[in-house]
Amino acid sequence: MRDVRRSLCAATGAIALLAGALAVPVTAGAGTTAVAGGTTEYLVLVKAGADHAQALAAVQAAGGSVVKENTNLGTITVRAADSGFVTRMSKSPAVDGTARARPIGQLPQASPNKVEQEHLGAVAKGKSAAKKAAKNKTADPLDAQLWGLRMIRADLAHAKHPGKKVVKVGVLDSGIDARNPDIAPNFDWNLSRNFAADLPEIDGPCEFRGCVDPVGWDDSGHGTHVAGTIGAALNGFGVSGVAPNVSLVEIRGGQDSGFVFLGPVLDALTYAGDVGLDVVNMSFYIDPWLYNCVANPADSPEAQAEQRATIAAVNRALNYAHKKGVTLVGSLGNNHEDLGKPRTDISSPDFGDVPAYPRPIDNATCVDLPVEGPHVIGVSALGPSGKKSDYSNYGTEQIDVAAPGGWFRDYFGTPDHRVNENLILSTYPVNKLQVLGLVDAAGAITEAGVAGGVQKQCAAGVTDYTKCGYYNWLQGTSMASPHTAGVAALIVSEYGKKGSHNSFGLAPDKVRQILLDSAQKRACPTPRLQTYVNEGRPAEFDALCEGPRTFNGFYGHGIIDAYAAVTRY
């Protein structure tokens, strides 16, 4: 979800505490006991095999107040003072590390960079293809505009296998608007959960009691867009997803504002494993660090300790979900860089009292999470021409496959340059469109919405606009990843086996193997150094494609192919 800026069980107790009054912190010196409580949530990682009671005692001695525990991961969520707690906890032999889970009471340093909505307010230089596309006969009315489905041959795959309802795809994002008629048939109300309470300081005034949005609600739009690409229903209405008959499970871990913090992500991944989700899509990076480093000299000792703890905790969660049978799919990011040769990070930390500062990134000791974590299938983004989108990250070290992500500036020199239809069309919540000024209070698309390509579909006789389907264009690796998650869901549907206790699934390593083997091989462009000067980008966007046709930095093992994935094996 927060991909947009680089360019989204035990939760009840934590949510209640988030809404409560905050204690005034009292800082303790080394060797003293601090007064419990504070304004910041931390994740304490208990060392494997350590005495649990000893870890709890260390928390209390360091001035922490326990909020909840995740026994499967060995983490303790703690409320403590904003400074000093990480250092005090580092002295305990029962603790592997401590990191902020969700900062409270602090403002973000900057607003999100709207890579994903570049087309809004931009001067379109090309001609819209919407009228031409609308004449084509497709399964759902708006499918003719989904060039991404055709690129990966998902339209052909639907005839072979539209997916099974028993296959469950988790959307770890900002939520899902289950009111949309394309989402409602596949939304799993029983399994869906919200692990991220709203923080008024960054998300705005709370709309619901306790600052907890109900499941089936999305104030950001990002999660709903992702969900529609994965599994919008093939129902003669609106659009269809890559896997239009699978179940969509909201496991919300992101804020309305676009931030994604450590604690909710860990809870969501643990839950995904515990309830048997088959696939989880992760289109975000974990704030506040673009790269978490083991010991970056540019960072303070406390920041270094937090990042080490973040790496360890995320790795535990990813390993846990994978072991439980979850196929993990992640976006490579929108920072237009080779992840194996990262540039200096100038955007971190992006949250808190410390302004962002330049951080040289050592590739050997720094990681972009979750996509550089274990078992995550990394996805780059392509425009409709098949070229790597200018914003997309790449590189042979982390890429696995490429998928449609959209590129507004594609097709330079043709009438199709800079048109909305170069992006990805998917489901979108009307409440967010109203906030953006693209839909008015009565549910009608505004002049700005028309220019932005917003579309609306209402069933016959429906007069309540909240029961209509709304659709919006976005671009980003956040849009490429759900195409891949959808194909992964089709693979599980086609080749999955029944297990004990009426379970159904396919081992994640097998899903990965079929996904990569069935991908359409694509060679690097000629010349290999791709420049985007014509598209108006500076030299920083230049990208060198390395590797042979069978595996390279732009396309990985190839462009995902839904039809080959469900027919070849």
Side-chain angles (χ1 to χ4, degrees), residues 231-312:
L234 185 59
N235 56 358
F237 187 95
V239 300
S240 57
V242 175
N245 201 39
V246 301
S247 295
L248 297 169
V249 181
E250 172 188 334
I251 47 172
R252 176 177 162 177
Q255 306 301 133
D256 292 344
S257 53
F259 289 94
V260 183
F261 296 124
L262 176 63
V265 171
L266 298 184
D267 287 342
L269 286 171
T270 307
Y271 178 78
D274 288 342
V275 300
L277 300 191
D278 296 287
V279 181
V280 166
N281 185 83
M282 302 178 291
S283 292
F284 60 86
Y285 73 90
I286 298 172
D287 295 291
W289 305 100
L290 177 58
Y291 289 94
N292 282 274
C293 302
V294 173
N296 192 327
D299 299 328
S300 69
E302 183 162 325
Q304 292 178 18
E306 283 197 49
Q307 291 170 57
R308 286 193 295 271
T310 298
I311 294 169

Coordinates of all heavy atoms in Angstrom, one line a residue, residues 231-312:
G231 N -9.5 -10.6 -7.5 CA -10.7 -11.4 -7.6 C -12.0 -10.8 -7.7 O -13.0 -11.2 -7.1
A232 N -12.1 -9.7 -8.5 CA -13.4 -9.1 -8.8 C -14.3 -10.2 -9.5 O -13.8 -11.0 -10.4 CB -13.3 -7.9 -9.7
A233 N -15.5 -10.3 -9.1 CA -16.4 -11.4 -9.6 C -16.6 -11.3 -11.1 O -16.8 -10.2 -11.7 CB -17.7 -11.4 -8.9
L234 N -16.7 -12.5 -11.8 CA -17.1 -12.6 -13.2 C -18.6 -12.7 -13.2 O -19.1 -13.8 -13.3 CB -16.3 -13.8 -13.8 CG -16.5 -14.0 -15.3 CD1 -16.0 -12.8 -16.1 CD2 -15.7 -15.3 -15.7
N235 N -19.3 -11.6 -13.2 CA -20.7 -11.6 -13.0 C -21.5 -10.8 -13.9 O -22.7 -10.4 -13.6 CB -21.0 -11.2 -11.5 CG -20.4 -9.8 -11.2 OD1 -19.8 -9.2 -12.0 ND2 -20.6 -9.3 -10.0
G236 N -20.9 -10.4 -15.1 CA -21.6 -9.6 -16.0 C -21.7 -8.1 -15.6 O -22.6 -7.4 -16.1
F237 N -20.9 -7.7 -14.6 CA -21.0 -6.4 -14.0 C -19.6 -5.8 -13.8 O -18.7 -6.5 -13.4 CB -21.7 -6.5 -12.7 CG -22.0 -5.2 -12.0 CD1 -23.2 -4.6 -12.2 CD2 -21.0 -4.5 -11.3 CE1 -23.5 -3.4 -11.6 CE2 -21.3 -3.3 -10.7 CZ -22.6 -2.7 -10.8
G238 N -19.3 -4.6 -14.2 CA -18.1 -4.0 -14.0 C -16.9 -4.7 -14.6 O -16.8 -4.8 -15.8
V239 N -15.9 -5.1 -13.7 CA -14.7 -5.7 -14.2 C -14.6 -7.1 -13.6 O -15.3 -7.5 -12.7 CB -13.5 -4.9 -13.8 CG1 -13.5 -3.5 -14.4 CG2 -13.3 -4.9 -12.2
S240 N -13.7 -7.9 -14.2 CA -13.4 -9.2 -13.6 C -12.0 -9.3 -13.2 O -11.1 -8.6 -13.8 CB -13.7 -10.4 -14.5 OG -13.0 -10.2 -15.7
G241 N -11.7 -10.0 -12.1 CA -10.3 -10.1 -11.6 C -9.6 -11.3 -12.3 O -10.1 -12.0 -13.1
V242 N -8.3 -11.4 -11.9 CA -7.5 -12.5 -12.5 C -8.1 -13.9 -12.1 O -8.1 -14.8 -12.8 CB -6.0 -12.4 -12.0 CG1 -5.2 -13.6 -12.4 CG2 -5.4 -11.1 -12.5
A243 N -8.5 -13.9 -10.8 CA -9.1 -15.2 -10.3 C -10.5 -14.9 -9.8 O -10.7 -14.7 -8.5 CB -8.2 -15.7 -9.2
P244 N -11.5 -14.8 -10.6 CA -12.8 -14.2 -10.3 C -13.7 -15.0 -9.4 O -14.8 -14.6 -9.2 CB -13.4 -13.9 -11.7 CG -12.8 -14.9 -12.6 CD -11.4 -15.1 -12.1
N245 N -13.3 -16.2 -9.0 CA -14.2 -17.0 -8.2 C -13.5 -17.4 -6.9 O -14.1 -18.3 -6.2 CB -14.6 -18.3 -9.0 CG -15.9 -18.9 -8.4 OD1 -16.8 -18.2 -8.0 ND2 -15.9 -20.2 -8.3
V246 N -12.4 -16.9 -6.5 CA -11.7 -17.2 -5.3 C -12.3 -16.3 -4.2 O -13.0 -15.3 -4.4 CB -10.2 -17.0 -5.3 CG1 -9.6 -17.9 -6.4 CG2 -9.8 -15.6 -5.6
S247 N -12.0 -16.6 -2.9 CA -12.5 -15.8 -1.8 C -11.5 -14.7 -1.5 O -10.3 -15.0 -1.4 CB -12.7 -16.7 -0.6 OG -13.8 -17.6 -0.8
L248 N -12.0 -13.5 -1.2 CA -11.1 -12.4 -0.8 C -11.2 -12.2 0.7 O -12.3 -12.0 1.2 CB -11.5 -11.2 -1.5 CG -11.4 -11.2 -3.1 CD1 -12.1 -10.0 -3.7 CD2 -9.9 -11.3 -3.5
V249 N -10.1 -12.2 1.4 CA -10.1 -12.0 2.8 C -9.3 -10.7 3.2 O -8.1 -10.6 2.9 CB -9.4 -13.2 3.5 CG1 -9.4 -13.1 5.0 CG2 -10.1 -14.5 3.1
E250 N -10.0 -9.8 3.8 CA -9.3 -8.6 4.3 C -8.5 -8.9 5.6 O -9.1 -9.4 6.6 CB -10.4 -7.5 4.6 CG -9.8 -6.3 5.3 CD -10.9 -5.3 5.7 OE1 -12.0 -5.3 5.1 OE2 -10.6 -4.6 6.7
I251 N -7.2 -8.7 5.5 CA -6.4 -8.7 6.7 C -5.7 -7.4 6.8 O -4.5 -7.2 6.5 CB -5.4 -9.9 6.7 CG1 -4.7 -10.0 5.4 CG2 -6.1 -11.2 7.0 CD1 -3.6 -11.1 5.4
R252 N -6.5 -6.4 7.2 CA -6.0 -5.0 7.1 C -4.8 -4.8 8.1 O -4.9 -5.1 9.3 CB -7.1 -4.0 7.5 CG -6.6 -2.6 7.5 CD -7.7 -1.6 7.8 NE -7.1 -0.3 8.3 CZ -7.8 0.8 8.5 NH1 -9.1 0.7 8.4 NH2 -7.2 1.8 8.9
G253 N -3.7 -4.3 7.5 CA -2.6 -3.9 8.3 C -2.1 -2.5 8.1 O -1.0 -2.1 8.6
G254 N -2.8 -1.8 7.2 CA -2.3 -0.4 6.8 C -3.3 0.7 7.3 O -4.4 0.4 7.6
Q255 N -2.7 1.9 7.5 CA -3.5 3.0 7.9 C -4.2 3.6 6.7 O -3.9 3.5 5.6 CB -2.6 4.0 8.6 CG -1.7 3.5 9.7 CD -2.5 2.9 10.8 OE1 -2.2 1.8 11.3 NE2 -3.5 3.6 11.3
D256 N -5.3 4.4 7.0 CA -6.0 5.2 6.0 C -5.0 6.1 5.3 O -5.2 6.3 4.1 CB -7.1 6.0 6.6 CG -8.2 5.2 7.2 OD1 -8.3 4.0 6.9 OD2 -9.0 5.7 8.0
S257 N -4.0 6.6 6.0 CA -3.1 7.6 5.4 C -2.1 7.0 4.5 O -1.3 7.7 3.8 CB -2.4 8.3 6.5 OG -1.8 7.4 7.4
G258 N -2.0 5.7 4.5 CA -1.0 5.0 3.6 C 0.2 4.4 4.4 O 0.9 3.6 3.8
F259 N 0.4 4.8 5.6 CA 1.5 4.2 6.4 C 1.2 2.7 6.7 O 0.0 2.3 6.9 CB 1.7 5.0 7.7 CG 2.3 6.3 7.5 CD1 1.5 7.4 7.4 CD2 3.7 6.5 7.4 CE1 2.0 8.7 7.2 CE2 4.2 7.7 7.2 CZ 3.4 8.8 7.1
V260 N 2.2 1.9 6.8 CA 2.1 0.5 7.2 C 3.1 0.3 8.3 O 4.3 0.3 8.0 CB 2.3 -0.4 6.0 CG1 2.1 -1.9 6.5 CG2 1.4 -0.1 4.9
F261 N 2.7 0.0 9.5 CA 3.6 -0.2 10.6 C 3.8 -1.7 11.0 O 3.0 -2.6 10.6 CB 3.0 0.5 11.9 CG 3.0 2.0 11.6 CD1 1.8 2.7 11.8 CD2 4.1 2.7 11.3 CE1 1.7 4.1 11.6 CE2 4.1 4.1 11.0 CZ 2.9 4.8 11.2
L262 N 4.9 -1.9 11.7 CA 5.3 -3.3 12.0 C 4.3 -4.2 12.7 O 4.1 -5.3 12.2 CB 6.6 -3.2 12.8 CG 7.2 -4.5 13.2 CD1 7.6 -5.4 12.1 CD2 8.4 -4.3 14.2
G263 N 3.8 -3.7 13.8 CA 2.9 -4.5 14.6 C 1.7 -5.1 13.8 O 1.5 -6.3 13.9
P264 N 0.9 -4.3 13.1 CA -0.2 -4.9 12.4 C 0.2 -5.8 11.3 O -0.5 -6.8 11.0 CB -0.9 -3.6 11.8 CG -0.5 -2.5 12.7 CD 0.9 -2.8 13.2
V265 N 1.3 -5.6 10.7 CA 1.8 -6.6 9.7 C 2.1 -7.9 10.3 O 1.7 -9.0 9.7 CB 3.0 -6.0 8.9 CG1 3.7 -7.1 8.0 CG2 2.7 -4.8 8.1
L266 N 2.8 -7.9 11.4 CA 3.1 -9.2 12.1 C 1.8 -9.9 12.5 O 1.7 -11.1 12.3 CB 4.0 -8.9 13.3 CG 5.3 -8.3 13.1 CD1 6.1 -8.2 14.4 CD2 6.2 -9.1 12.0
D267 N 0.8 -9.2 13.0 CA -0.4 -9.8 13.4 C -1.1 -10.4 12.2 O -1.7 -11.5 12.3 CB -1.3 -8.8 14.1 CG -0.8 -8.4 15.5 OD1 0.0 -9.2 16.1 OD2 -1.2 -7.4 16.1
A268 N -1.2 -9.6 11.1 CA -1.9 -10.1 9.9 C -1.2 -11.3 9.3 O -1.9 -12.3 8.9 CB -1.9 -9.0 8.9
L269 N 0.1 -11.4 9.3 CA 0.8 -12.5 8.7 C 0.6 -13.8 9.6 O 0.4 -14.9 9.1 CB 2.3 -12.2 8.5 CG 2.6 -11.3 7.4 CD1 4.1 -10.9 7.4 CD2 2.3 -12.0 6.0
T270 N 0.6 -13.6 10.9 CA 0.4 -14.7 11.8 C -1.0 -15.2 11.6 O -1.2 -16.4 11.6 CB 0.6 -14.3 13.3 OG1 1.9 -13.6 13.4 CG2 0.5 -15.4 14.2
Y271 N -2.0 -14.3 11.6 CA -3.4 -14.7 11.4 C -3.6 -15.5 10.1 O -4.3 -16.5 10.0 CB -4.3 -13.5 11.4 CG -5.7 -13.8 11.2 CD1 -6.5 -14.3 12.2 CD2 -6.3 -13.5 10.0 CE1 -7.9 -14.5 12.0 CE2 -7.7 -13.8 9.7 CZ -8.4 -14.3 10.7 OH -9.8 -14.5 10.5
A272 N -2.9 -15.0 9.0 CA -3.0 -15.6 7.7 C -2.6 -17.1 7.8 O -3.2 -18.0 7.2 CB -2.2 -14.9 6.7
G273 N -1.5 -17.3 8.5 CA -1.1 -18.7 8.7 C -2.0 -19.5 9.5 O -2.3 -20.7 9.2
D274 N -2.5 -18.9 10.6 CA -3.4 -19.7 11.5 C -4.7 -20.1 11.0 O -5.2 -21.1 11.3 CB -3.6 -18.8 12.8 CG -2.4 -18.7 13.7 OD1 -1.4 -19.5 13.5 OD2 -2.3 -17.8 14.5
V275 N -5.3 -19.2 10.1 CA -6.6 -19.6 9.5 C -6.5 -20.2 8.2 O -7.5 -20.6 7.6 CB -7.5 -18.3 9.4 CG1 -7.7 -17.7 10.8 CG2 -6.9 -17.3 8.4
G276 N -5.3 -20.5 7.7 CA -5.1 -21.2 6.5 C -5.4 -20.5 5.2 O -5.9 -21.1 4.2
L277 N -5.0 -19.2 5.1 CA -5.1 -18.5 3.8 C -4.1 -19.1 2.8 O -3.0 -19.6 3.2 CB -4.8 -17.0 4.0 CG -5.7 -16.3 4.9 CD1 -5.5 -14.8 4.8 CD2 -7.2 -16.6 4.7
D278 N -4.4 -19.2 1.6 CA -3.6 -19.8 0.6 C -2.6 -18.8 0.0 O -1.4 -19.2 -0.3 CB -4.5 -20.3 -0.6 CG -5.4 -21.4 -0.1 OD1 -4.9 -22.5 0.2 OD2 -6.6 -21.2 0.1
V279 N -3.0 -17.6 -0.2 CA -2.1 -16.5 -0.8 C -2.3 -15.3 0.0 O -3.4 -15.0 0.4 CB -2.5 -16.3 -2.3 CG1 -1.5 -15.3 -2.9 CG2 -2.4 -17.6 -3.1
V280 N -1.2 -14.5 0.1 CA -1.3 -13.1 0.7 C -0.6 -12.2 -0.2 O 0.6 -12.4 -0.6 CB -0.7 -13.1 2.2 CG1 -0.5 -11.6 2.6 CG2 -1.6 -13.8 3.1
N281 N -1.3 -11.1 -0.5 CA -0.6 -10.0 -1.3 C -0.2 -8.9 -0.4 O -0.9 -8.5 0.5 CB -1.6 -9.5 -2.4 CG -1.0 -8.5 -3.3 OD1 -0.3 -8.8 -4.3 ND2 -1.1 -7.2 -3.0
M282 N 1.1 -8.4 -0.7 CA 1.7 -7.4 0.1 C 2.2 -6.3 -0.8 O 3.3 -6.4 -1.3 CB 2.8 -7.9 1.0 CG 2.3 -9.0 1.9 SD 3.6 -9.8 3.0 CE 4.6 -10.6 1.7
S283 N 1.4 -5.2 -1.0 CA 1.9 -4.1 -1.9 C 2.2 -2.9 -1.0 O 1.5 -1.9 -1.0 CB 0.7 -3.8 -2.8 OG 0.5 -4.8 -3.8
F284 N 3.3 -3.0 -0.3 CA 3.7 -2.0 0.6 C 5.2 -2.2 1.1 O 5.8 -3.3 0.8 CB 2.8 -1.9 1.8 CG 2.8 -3.2 2.6 CD1 3.8 -3.4 3.6 CD2 1.8 -4.2 2.4 CE1 3.8 -4.6 4.3 CE2 1.8 -5.4 3.1 CZ 2.8 -5.6 4.1
Y285 N 5.7 -1.2 1.8 CA 6.9 -1.5 2.6 C 6.6 -1.0 4.0 O 5.7 -0.2 4.2 CB 8.2 -0.8 2.0 CG 8.3 0.7 2.2 CD1 8.9 1.2 3.3 CD2 7.9 1.5 1.2 CE1 9.0 2.6 3.4 CE2 8.0 2.9 1.3 CZ 8.6 3.4 2.4 OH 8.7 4.8 2.5
I286 N 7.3 -1.5 5.0 CA 7.0 -1.3 6.4 C 7.7 0.0 6.8 O 9.0 0.1 6.8 CB 7.5 -2.5 7.3 CG1 6.7 -3.7 6.8 CG2 7.3 -2.2 8.7 CD1 7.2 -5.0 7.5
D287 N 6.9 1.0 7.3 CA 7.4 2.2 7.8 C 8.1 2.1 9.1 O 7.8 1.2 9.9 CB 6.3 3.2 7.9 CG 5.6 3.5 6.6 OD1 6.3 4.2 5.8 OD2 4.5 3.1 6.3
P288 N 9.0 3.0 9.5 CA 9.4 4.2 8.8 C 10.6 4.2 7.9 O 11.0 5.2 7.3 CB 9.6 5.2 9.9 CG 10.3 4.3 10.9 CD 9.6 3.0 10.8
W289 N 11.2 2.9 7.7 CA 12.4 2.8 7.0 C 12.2 2.2 5.6 O 11.7 1.1 5.5 CB 13.5 2.0 7.8 CG 13.7 2.5 9.2 CD1 13.1 2.0 10.3 CD2 14.5 3.6 9.5 NE1 13.6 2.8 11.4 CE2 14.4 3.7 10.9 CE3 15.3 4.5 8.8 CZ2 15.1 4.7 11.6 CZ3 16.0 5.5 9.5 CH2 15.9 5.6 10.9
L290 N 12.7 2.9 4.6 CA 12.6 2.3 3.2 C 13.5 1.1 3.2 O 13.1 0.1 2.6 CB 13.1 3.4 2.2 CG 13.2 2.9 0.7 CD1 11.9 2.5 0.2 CD2 13.8 4.1 -0.1
Y291 N 14.6 1.2 3.8 CA 15.5 0.0 4.0 C 15.8 -0.2 5.5 O 16.2 0.8 6.1 CB 16.9 0.2 3.2 CG 16.7 0.1 1.7 CD1 16.6 1.2 1.0 CD2 16.8 -1.2 1.1 CE1 16.5 1.1 -0.4 CE2 16.7 -1.2 -0.3 CZ 16.5 -0.1 -1.0 OH 16.4 -0.2 -2.4
N292 N 15.6 -1.4 6.0 CA 16.1 -1.7 7.3 C 17.5 -2.2 7.3 O 17.7 -3.2 6.5 CB 15.1 -2.7 8.0 CG 13.9 -2.0 8.5 OD1 13.8 -1.5 9.6 ND2 12.8 -2.0 7.6
C293 N 18.4 -1.7 8.0 CA 19.8 -2.1 8.0 C 20.3 -2.6 9.3 O 19.8 -2.3 10.4 CB 20.7 -0.9 7.6 SG 20.2 -0.1 6.1
V294 N 21.2 -3.5 9.2 CA 21.8 -4.2 10.4 C 22.5 -3.2 11.3 O 22.4 -3.1 12.5 CB 22.6 -5.4 10.1 CG1 23.3 -5.9 11.3 CG2 21.8 -6.4 9.4
A295 N 23.4 -2.4 10.7 CA 24.2 -1.4 11.4 C 24.6 -0.3 10.5 O 25.8 -0.1 10.2 CB 25.4 -2.1 12.1
N296 N 23.7 0.5 10.0 CA 24.0 1.6 9.1 C 24.7 2.8 10.0 O 24.1 3.3 10.9 CB 22.8 2.2 8.5 CG 23.1 3.1 7.3 OD1 24.0 3.8 7.3 ND2 22.2 3.1 6.3
P297 N 25.9 3.1 9.6 CA 26.6 4.2 10.4 C 25.9 5.5 10.4 O 26.1 6.3 11.3 CB 28.0 4.3 9.7 CG 28.2 3.0 8.9 CD 26.8 2.6 8.5
A298 N 25.0 5.7 9.4 CA 24.3 7.0 9.4 C 23.2 7.0 10.4 O 22.7 8.1 10.8 CB 23.7 7.2 8.0
D299 N 22.8 5.9 11.0 CA 21.7 5.8 11.9 C 22.2 5.9 13.4 O 23.4 5.4 13.7 CB 20.9 4.5 11.7 CG 20.3 4.4 10.4 OD1 19.9 5.5 9.8 OD2 20.1 3.3 9.8
S300 N 21.4 6.3 14.3 CA 21.7 6.3 15.7 C 21.8 4.8 16.2 O 21.2 3.9 15.6 CB 20.7 7.1 16.5 OG 19.5 6.4 16.5
P301 N 22.5 4.6 17.3 CA 22.5 3.2 17.9 C 21.1 2.7 18.1 O 20.9 1.5 17.9 CB 23.3 3.4 19.2 CG 24.2 4.6 18.9 CD 23.4 5.5 18.0
E302 N 20.2 3.5 18.6 CA 18.9 3.0 18.9 C 18.1 2.7 17.6 O 17.4 1.7 17.5 CB 18.1 4.1 19.7 CG 16.7 3.6 20.1 CD 16.0 4.4 21.2 OE1 16.8 4.8 22.1 OE2 14.8 4.6 21.2
A303 N 18.3 3.5 16.6 CA 17.7 3.2 15.3 C 18.2 1.9 14.7 O 17.5 1.2 14.1 CB 17.9 4.4 14.3
Q304 N 19.5 1.7 14.8 CA 20.1 0.5 14.4 C 19.5 -0.7 15.1 O 19.2 -1.7 14.4 CB 21.6 0.5 14.6 CG 22.4 1.5 13.7 CD 23.9 1.5 14.0 OE1 24.4 0.6 14.6 NE2 24.5 2.6 13.6
A305 N 19.4 -0.6 16.4 CA 18.8 -1.7 17.2 C 17.4 -2.0 16.7 O 16.9 -3.2 16.6 CB 18.9 -1.4 18.6
E306 N 16.6 -0.9 16.5 CA 15.2 -1.1 16.1 C 15.1 -1.8 14.7 O 14.3 -2.7 14.5 CB 14.5 0.2 16.0 CG 14.1 0.8 17.3 CD 13.1 1.9 17.1 OE1 12.1 1.7 16.4 OE2 13.3 3.0 17.7
Q307 N 16.0 -1.4 13.8 CA 16.0 -2.0 12.5 C 16.4 -3.5 12.5 O 15.8 -4.3 11.8 CB 16.9 -1.2 11.5 CG 16.3 0.1 11.2 CD 17.3 1.0 10.5 OE1 17.8 0.6 9.4 NE2 17.6 2.2 11.0
R308 N 17.3 -3.8 13.3 CA 17.7 -5.3 13.5 C 16.5 -6.1 14.0 O 16.3 -7.2 13.5 CB 18.9 -5.4 14.4 CG 20.2 -5.0 13.8 CD 21.4 -5.4 14.7 NE 21.4 -4.8 16.0 CZ 22.1 -3.6 16.2 NH1 22.7 -3.0 15.3 NH2 22.0 -3.1 17.5
A309 N 15.8 -5.5 15.0 CA 14.6 -6.2 15.5 C 13.5 -6.3 14.5 O 12.8 -7.3 14.4 CB 14.1 -5.4 16.7
T310 N 13.4 -5.3 13.7 CA 12.4 -5.3 12.6 C 12.7 -6.4 11.6 O 11.8 -7.2 11.2 CB 12.3 -4.0 11.9 OG1 11.9 -2.9 12.8 CG2 11.3 -4.0 10.7
I311 N 13.9 -6.5 11.2 CA 14.3 -7.6 10.3 C 14.0 -9.0 10.8 O 13.4 -9.8 10.2 CB 15.8 -7.4 9.9 CG1 16.1 -6.1 9.1 CG2 16.3 -8.6 9.1 CD1 17.5 -5.8 9.0
A312 N 14.4 -9.1 12.1 CA 14.2 -10.5 12.7 C 12.7 -10.8 12.9 O 12.3 -11.9 12.6 CB 14.9 -10.5 14.1

